[in-house]
Amino acid sequence: MAIDSGAPVAAVQVPAAGLRHQVRAATVVWQREMIRFGRDRSRIVSSLIQPVLFLFVLGTGLSSLMSTGDLDFRTFLFPGVLAMSVLFTAAFAGISMVWDREFGFLREMLVAPVGTTAILTGKCLGGATVATLQSLVILALAGLVDVPYDPVMMLELVVLVFLMAFMICALGVVLAARVKQIQSAMPLVQLTITPLMFLSGALFPLSGLPAWLKLATTLNPMTYAVESIRSVVFDHLDLTPAARATFDPGITWGGWQVPLVVQVAVVVVTCLTLLGLAVARFARTE
């Protein structure tokens, strides 16, 4: 028998759906990523060790073997190392959706009255912000490898690094859509990210490549992110035309030199495509 206590029942208020509500949801997810970043100091330190080793140990070691003329090999390596500094951080930020699924937090987010697009956008923005913040340490070391501290250049690099980090984080989210256990996620990330890194030209110039490798680098979206970063850095170096052509030849499509704005556009389109793919896959699987 139902019991009528006579006490008033508070009405449940569901926020009105709309763009403002979705933006607020994305902001909350972004804030969660920032809080996790602030509490995980070991991840901050460990993610910085590898780029520093590449720049100062590998770069110094190979300088004696590489003939780069007046250009220090570490200076050439700096844009690639800057890109690599965000690569694995952004990828693991995206793949951390697997942890959220295992602990049930993902289901709690998906049953909330917000869109999947807002949740995944907040996730990617958070991962990209964390990766960009970590890259600031590498930017602070620019002077040690003869890269000038030009404020405009630094601002442009931060924007480009953020776009690249968003793209890689979105890729991680796409991979996380079908992975159920974190033990399976790690090898998948390594298997996907490592070829992208080696085929991006981060560690070698794009000039004089064999045809198959040139085609592979041209088809790799990460090449456009790395090359745009290198182009901005090299614009502020005092190099001869011959040295610029050797170490920063740019990207060509059938002989057409792809300008910087088109390279950035390719990265932006890839970001949106991967985010859309991630939303579609999570909507189908969760």
Side-chain angles (χ1 to χ4, degrees):
M1 183 176 67
I3 299 176
D4 184 7
S5 63
V9 178
V12 177
Q13 295 183 353
V14 179
L19 180 60
R20 184 178 179 182
H21 178 59
Q22 300 300 327
V23 171
R24 182 173 179 272
T27 304
V28 170
V29 177
W30 176 85
Q31 287 178 332
R32 176 175 178 263
E33 294 299 314
M34 294 299 100
I35 293 173
R36 292 176 64 180
F37 172 65
R39 294 178 176 176
D40 193 0
R41 297 181 180 177
S42 61
R43 188 180 63 163
I44 299 173
V45 175
S46 61
S47 62
L48 291 174
I49 291 176
Q50 187 183 47
V52 171
L53 288 176
F54 268 108
L55 185 60
F56 293 104
V57 179
L58 181 66
T60 303
L62 292 182
S63 292
S64 59
L65 300 176
M66 303 285 290
S67 176
T68 56
D70 296 332
L71 178 67
D72 190 329
F73 183 71
R74 295 176 304 173
T75 307
F76 162 77
L77 208 56
F78 178 78
V81 170
L82 180 62
M84 289 168 54
S85 70
V86 305
L87 187 63
F88 287 98
T89 300
F92 286 120
I95 207 71
S96 67
M97 292 292 281
V98 179
W99 271 300
D100 292 337
R101 181 188 286 115
E102 283 192 346
F103 291 111
F105 186 76
L106 176 61
R107 184 165 298 279
E108 292 182 7
M109 288 195 295
L110 292 177
V111 299
V114 294
T116 305
T117 302
I119 295 172
L120 297 186
T121 301
K123 183 74 175 178
C124 292
L125 288 174
T129 304
V130 168
T132 304
L133 289 175
Q134 292 187 198
S135 73
L136 296 181
V137 177
I138 303 300
L139 283 176
L141 301 176
L144 298 179
V145 292
D146 300 329
V147 175
Y149 291 111
D150 185 273
V152 176
M153 183 194 74
M154 291 294 174
L155 182 60
E156 291 175 339
L157 290 178
V158 169
V159 174
L160 293 173
V161 165
F162 181 84
L163 284 176
M164 176 184 167
F166 189 99
M167 177 177 69
I168 299 300
C169 189
L171 175 61
V173 174
V174 171
L175 297 176
R178 293 296 179 86
V179 180
K180 302 300 181 185
Q181 296 181 336
I182 195 62
Q183 292 85 350
S184 304
M186 293 304 179
L188 182 61
V189 170
Q190 297 284 354
L191 186 64
T192 306
I193 297 300
T194 302
L196 290 177
M197 179 188 73
F198 279 106
L199 293 174
S200 67
L203 301 176
F204 54 83
L206 298 176
S207 60
L209 300 179
W212 67 270
L213 186 53
K214 181 176 177 59
L215 176 62
T217 55
T218 305
L219 295 176
N220 180 9
M222 191 175 158
T223 302
Y224 298 86
V226 173
E227 177 55 30
S228 59
I229 293 173
R230 177 166 290 141
S231 178
V232 168
V233 172
F234 275 47
D235 283 344
H236 293 79
L237 300 179
D238 185 17
L239 297 176
T240 63
R244 182 67 184 263
T246 301
F247 297 104
D248 182 33
I251 303 172
T252 56
W253 290 345
W256 178 62
Q257 190 77 24
V258 181
L260 177 62
V261 65
V262 176
Q263 295 175 23
V264 176
V266 170
V267 177
V268 172
V269 170
T270 306
C271 289
L272 297 177
T273 302
L274 289 173
L275 181 61
L277 182 61
V279 172
R281 297 189 70 171
F282 269 92
R284 191 165 53 243
T285 57
E286 298 296 332

